[in-house]
Amino acid sequence: MSFRFLRPNAQSVWENKEILSRFSRYKAILDQKKLARYLISKTIKCGFTPEDSIETLENLVHAKSQHLNQLLEERIEVLQQRKNQEENFITLVSKIAMKYLESCIFCERRCGANRAEGEKGLCLVPSGSYVSSAFLHYGEESVLVPSGTIFFQGCNFTCIFCQNYDISQEWKGRRDISDVSQYVSANQLAELADTLSKKGALNINYVGGDPIPNIHTIIANLEFQTANITQLWNSNFYLTDEALSLIIDLIDFWLPDFKYGNNDCAKKYSGIENYYEVLTRNLKRIHDEGSGEIIIRHLVMPNHVECCSKPILDFVAKEIPKSVVNIMGQYRPVYHACNYEEINRRPSSEEMQQVQNYADKLGILWRPVS
Ligand code: SF4
């Protein structure tokens, strides 16, 4: 693989002992010394019938999740001897995801739309999934590049400053999703992922818009993928607890946005309720029960250091200390942001410095990925 186009610190970042320690499993997958979680999950037999209730299936996930987490400790040579099962952990969670699609509860909007029968919820994403682009991304965090990034059309947020507004917001209500992006079945998504892997991707990076409305397709695609490659969830992280339960054991690396340190700002700029409770609940869960290999993306916004940046960093330091934070200065007033005077500029260098100093004061690791 050629590293010609990598960010300058993409290789030297692994000389940082703290990064190596916090992302040790990801590094071991890169070095082919560990298996990606989804490959292990295919070997776990999960017998269920079409008549089983959703509660029965959810209980089965809980029980099999414990088995999967035990297997994570096994040596790769032992795991490679295990046979794939026809009814396995992925087919089990996939079955539940399709049931949730009949009254959609993938995100905390909890629209209840029967997407399986053609209804649409607030995100307007239909039952199928649509991809606007997929390519090797060299602009992600140093440990991740080149990243096999797959951009899904559509989003469950309505951020007035969205930097990807063309794929998340602008088509809504004006054009059909198939006019602006390409339908992908689970099988086709896996082919995309395998192609990116062969081209040298270090991970498969599900993003958008947001991957949450497409969680059923993403889970199902894992039945068809074959490469030993990290599965990465790059999202606004406004999932329900039920939806997170489906993927928490399958995702190796987490890349959540954490934008707002309070609910008022979230409501004002992204149109969502209970943001802070939902985000902190989900982040705590992936930190304590999931892989715990997390880069939090915090976009510093002008005039939001005290109300957003500092409370977020306080939470990270206290509740999810293994996380690394990307303190992002890329905010710029696009889309409808010009209608909000307080955010109609880029963050100043003083604001960026204030946030970075505060992270240092709390002992947060941010430099190697920012
Ligand atoms: S993913 Fe879309 S349809 Fe489902 S609950 Fe969220 S906004 Fe509603």
PDB file of all heavy atoms in Angstrom, residues 3-16:
ATOM      1  N   PHE A   3       1.695   5.074   0.937  1.00  0.00           N
ATOM      2  CA  PHE A   3       1.307   6.055   1.942  1.00  0.00           C
ATOM      3  C   PHE A   3       1.622   7.474   1.476  1.00  0.00           C
ATOM      4  O   PHE A   3       1.661   8.394   2.247  1.00  0.00           O
ATOM      5  CB  PHE A   3       2.019   5.782   3.277  1.00  0.00           C
ATOM      6  CG  PHE A   3       1.488   4.575   3.981  1.00  0.00           C
ATOM      7  CD1 PHE A   3       2.139   3.373   3.897  1.00  0.00           C
ATOM      8  CD2 PHE A   3       0.309   4.641   4.695  1.00  0.00           C
ATOM      9  CE1 PHE A   3       1.635   2.248   4.529  1.00  0.00           C
ATOM     10  CE2 PHE A   3      -0.209   3.523   5.331  1.00  0.00           C
ATOM     11  CZ  PHE A   3       0.466   2.320   5.244  1.00  0.00           C
ATOM     12  N   ARG A   4       1.828   7.619   0.190  1.00  0.00           N
ATOM     13  CA  ARG A   4       2.244   8.885  -0.388  1.00  0.00           C
ATOM     14  C   ARG A   4       1.360  10.062   0.027  1.00  0.00           C
ATOM     15  O   ARG A   4       1.818  11.143   0.275  1.00  0.00           O
ATOM     16  CB  ARG A   4       2.176   8.755  -1.906  1.00  0.00           C
ATOM     17  CG  ARG A   4       3.418   9.117  -2.597  1.00  0.00           C
ATOM     18  CD  ARG A   4       3.506   8.590  -4.008  1.00  0.00           C
ATOM     19  NE  ARG A   4       2.379   7.903  -4.543  1.00  0.00           N
ATOM     20  CZ  ARG A   4       1.754   8.279  -5.651  1.00  0.00           C
ATOM     21  NH1 ARG A   4       2.141   9.350  -6.289  1.00  0.00           N
ATOM     22  NH2 ARG A   4       0.768   7.572  -6.126  1.00  0.00           N
ATOM     23  N   PHE A   5       0.043   9.813   0.059  1.00  0.00           N
ATOM     24  CA  PHE A   5      -0.880  10.930   0.243  1.00  0.00           C
ATOM     25  C   PHE A   5      -1.381  11.063   1.684  1.00  0.00           C
ATOM     26  O   PHE A   5      -2.286  11.803   1.959  1.00  0.00           O
ATOM     27  CB  PHE A   5      -2.082  10.771  -0.684  1.00  0.00           C
ATOM     28  CG  PHE A   5      -1.681  10.671  -2.128  1.00  0.00           C
ATOM     29  CD1 PHE A   5      -1.907   9.517  -2.843  1.00  0.00           C
ATOM     30  CD2 PHE A   5      -1.055  11.745  -2.749  1.00  0.00           C
ATOM     31  CE1 PHE A   5      -1.533   9.429  -4.176  1.00  0.00           C
ATOM     32  CE2 PHE A   5      -0.692  11.669  -4.078  1.00  0.00           C
ATOM     33  CZ  PHE A   5      -0.920  10.506  -4.794  1.00  0.00           C
ATOM     34  N   LEU A   6      -0.829  10.276   2.596  1.00  0.00           N
ATOM     35  CA  LEU A   6      -1.313  10.325   3.970  1.00  0.00           C
ATOM     36  C   LEU A   6      -0.964  11.638   4.641  1.00  0.00           C
ATOM     37  O   LEU A   6      -0.012  12.306   4.280  1.00  0.00           O
ATOM     38  CB  LEU A   6      -0.714   9.186   4.797  1.00  0.00           C
ATOM     39  CG  LEU A   6      -1.093   7.776   4.381  1.00  0.00           C
ATOM     40  CD1 LEU A   6      -0.681   6.800   5.454  1.00  0.00           C
ATOM     41  CD2 LEU A   6      -2.570   7.662   4.126  1.00  0.00           C
ATOM     42  N   ARG A   7      -1.798  11.992   5.643  1.00  0.00           N
ATOM     43  CA  ARG A   7      -1.438  13.155   6.456  1.00  0.00           C
ATOM     44  C   ARG A   7      -0.059  12.892   7.046  1.00  0.00           C
ATOM     45  O   ARG A   7       0.288  11.760   7.353  1.00  0.00           O
ATOM     46  CB  ARG A   7      -2.462  13.320   7.591  1.00  0.00           C
ATOM     47  CG  ARG A   7      -3.766  13.886   7.094  1.00  0.00           C
ATOM     48  CD  ARG A   7      -4.850  13.654   8.092  1.00  0.00           C
ATOM     49  NE  ARG A   7      -4.549  14.269   9.378  1.00  0.00           N
ATOM     50  CZ  ARG A   7      -5.474  14.904  10.098  1.00  0.00           C
ATOM     51  NH1 ARG A   7      -6.690  15.046   9.668  1.00  0.00           N
ATOM     52  NH2 ARG A   7      -5.167  15.414  11.257  1.00  0.00           N
ATOM     53  N   PRO A   8       0.764  13.949   7.249  1.00  0.00           N
ATOM     54  CA  PRO A   8       2.139  13.753   7.681  1.00  0.00           C
ATOM     55  C   PRO A   8       2.255  12.953   8.976  1.00  0.00           C
ATOM     56  O   PRO A   8       3.197  12.224   9.172  1.00  0.00           O
ATOM     57  CB  PRO A   8       2.651  15.184   7.898  1.00  0.00           C
ATOM     58  CG  PRO A   8       1.662  16.084   7.258  1.00  0.00           C
ATOM     59  CD  PRO A   8       0.411  15.325   7.008  1.00  0.00           C
ATOM     60  N   ASN A   9       1.253  13.080   9.872  1.00  0.00           N
ATOM     61  CA  ASN A   9       1.370  12.383  11.146  1.00  0.00           C
ATOM     62  C   ASN A   9       0.628  11.050  11.164  1.00  0.00           C
ATOM     63  O   ASN A   9       0.443  10.444  12.206  1.00  0.00           O
ATOM     64  CB  ASN A   9       0.861  13.271  12.293  1.00  0.00           C
ATOM     65  CG  ASN A   9      -0.539  13.788  12.033  1.00  0.00           C
ATOM     66  OD1 ASN A   9      -1.053  13.639  10.930  1.00  0.00           O
ATOM     67  ND2 ASN A   9      -1.147  14.369  13.038  1.00  0.00           N
ATOM     68  N   ALA A  10       0.178  10.563   9.984  1.00  0.00           N
ATOM     69  CA  ALA A  10      -0.633   9.343   9.952  1.00  0.00           C
ATOM     70  C   ALA A  10       0.133   8.108  10.390  1.00  0.00           C
ATOM     71  O   ALA A  10      -0.450   7.155  10.872  1.00  0.00           O
ATOM     72  CB  ALA A  10      -1.214   9.128   8.554  1.00  0.00           C
ATOM     73  N   GLN A  11       1.428   8.090  10.207  1.00  0.00           N
ATOM     74  CA  GLN A  11       2.208   6.941  10.642  1.00  0.00           C
ATOM     75  C   GLN A  11       2.876   7.202  11.994  1.00  0.00           C
ATOM     76  O   GLN A  11       2.884   6.354  12.867  1.00  0.00           O
ATOM     77  CB  GLN A  11       3.256   6.607   9.593  1.00  0.00           C
ATOM     78  CG  GLN A  11       2.618   6.086   8.309  1.00  0.00           C
ATOM     79  CD  GLN A  11       3.630   5.943   7.204  1.00  0.00           C
ATOM     80  OE1 GLN A  11       4.367   4.978   7.172  1.00  0.00           O
ATOM     81  NE2 GLN A  11       3.678   6.919   6.316  1.00  0.00           N
ATOM     82  N   SER A  12       3.411   8.415  12.163  1.00  0.00           N
ATOM     83  CA  SER A  12       4.125   8.721  13.410  1.00  0.00           C
ATOM     84  C   SER A  12       3.181   8.767  14.612  1.00  0.00           C
ATOM     85  O   SER A  12       3.628   8.629  15.746  1.00  0.00           O
ATOM     86  CB  SER A  12       4.879  10.051  13.295  1.00  0.00           C
ATOM     87  OG  SER A  12       3.958  11.093  13.074  1.00  0.00           O
ATOM     88  N   VAL A  13       1.877   8.910  14.366  1.00  0.00           N
ATOM     89  CA  VAL A  13       0.937   8.978  15.486  1.00  0.00           C
ATOM     90  C   VAL A  13       1.008   7.705  16.334  1.00  0.00           C
ATOM     91  O   VAL A  13       0.788   7.737  17.548  1.00  0.00           O
ATOM     92  CB  VAL A  13      -0.507   9.243  14.975  1.00  0.00           C
ATOM     93  CG1 VAL A  13      -1.050   8.057  14.196  1.00  0.00           C
ATOM     94  CG2 VAL A  13      -1.438   9.593  16.121  1.00  0.00           C
ATOM     95  N   TRP A  14       1.385   6.578  15.704  1.00  0.00           N
ATOM     96  CA  TRP A  14       1.450   5.315  16.451  1.00  0.00           C
ATOM     97  C   TRP A  14       2.673   5.254  17.359  1.00  0.00           C
ATOM     98  O   TRP A  14       2.813   4.325  18.162  1.00  0.00           O
ATOM     99  CB  TRP A  14       1.409   4.124  15.498  1.00  0.00           C
ATOM    100  CG  TRP A  14       0.066   4.001  14.842  1.00  0.00           C
ATOM    101  CD1 TRP A  14      -0.237   4.208  13.533  1.00  0.00           C
ATOM    102  CD2 TRP A  14      -1.186   3.691  15.484  1.00  0.00           C
ATOM    103  NE1 TRP A  14      -1.584   4.041  13.310  1.00  0.00           N
ATOM    104  CE2 TRP A  14      -2.189   3.714  14.486  1.00  0.00           C
ATOM    105  CE3 TRP A  14      -1.564   3.394  16.795  1.00  0.00           C
ATOM    106  CZ2 TRP A  14      -3.534   3.459  14.765  1.00  0.00           C
ATOM    107  CZ3 TRP A  14      -2.899   3.128  17.067  1.00  0.00           C
ATOM    108  CH2 TRP A  14      -3.859   3.164  16.062  1.00  0.00           C
ATOM    109  N   GLU A  15       3.573   6.227  17.237  1.00  0.00           N
ATOM    110  CA  GLU A  15       4.692   6.287  18.186  1.00  0.00           C
ATOM    111  C   GLU A  15       4.248   6.860  19.532  1.00  0.00           C
ATOM    112  O   GLU A  15       4.966   6.796  20.522  1.00  0.00           O
ATOM    113  CB  GLU A  15       5.820   7.146  17.601  1.00  0.00           C
ATOM    114  CG  GLU A  15       6.514   6.459  16.431  1.00  0.00           C
ATOM    115  CD  GLU A  15       7.311   7.426  15.580  1.00  0.00           C
ATOM    116  OE1 GLU A  15       7.592   8.553  16.040  1.00  0.00           O
ATOM    117  OE2 GLU A  15       7.627   7.048  14.433  1.00  0.00           O
ATOM    118  N   ASN A  16       3.061   7.458  19.532  1.00  0.00           N
ATOM    119  CA  ASN A  16       2.506   8.002  20.774  1.00  0.00           C
ATOM    120  C   ASN A  16       1.959   6.838  21.606  1.00  0.00           C
ATOM    121  O   ASN A  16       0.997   6.167  21.216  1.00  0.00           O
ATOM    122  CB  ASN A  16       1.390   9.000  20.423  1.00  0.00           C
ATOM    123  CG  ASN A  16       0.795   9.656  21.651  1.00  0.00           C
ATOM    124  OD1 ASN A  16       0.533   9.002  22.659  1.00  0.00           O
ATOM    125  ND2 ASN A  16       0.587  10.958  21.567  1.00  0.00           N
TER     126      ASN A  16
END
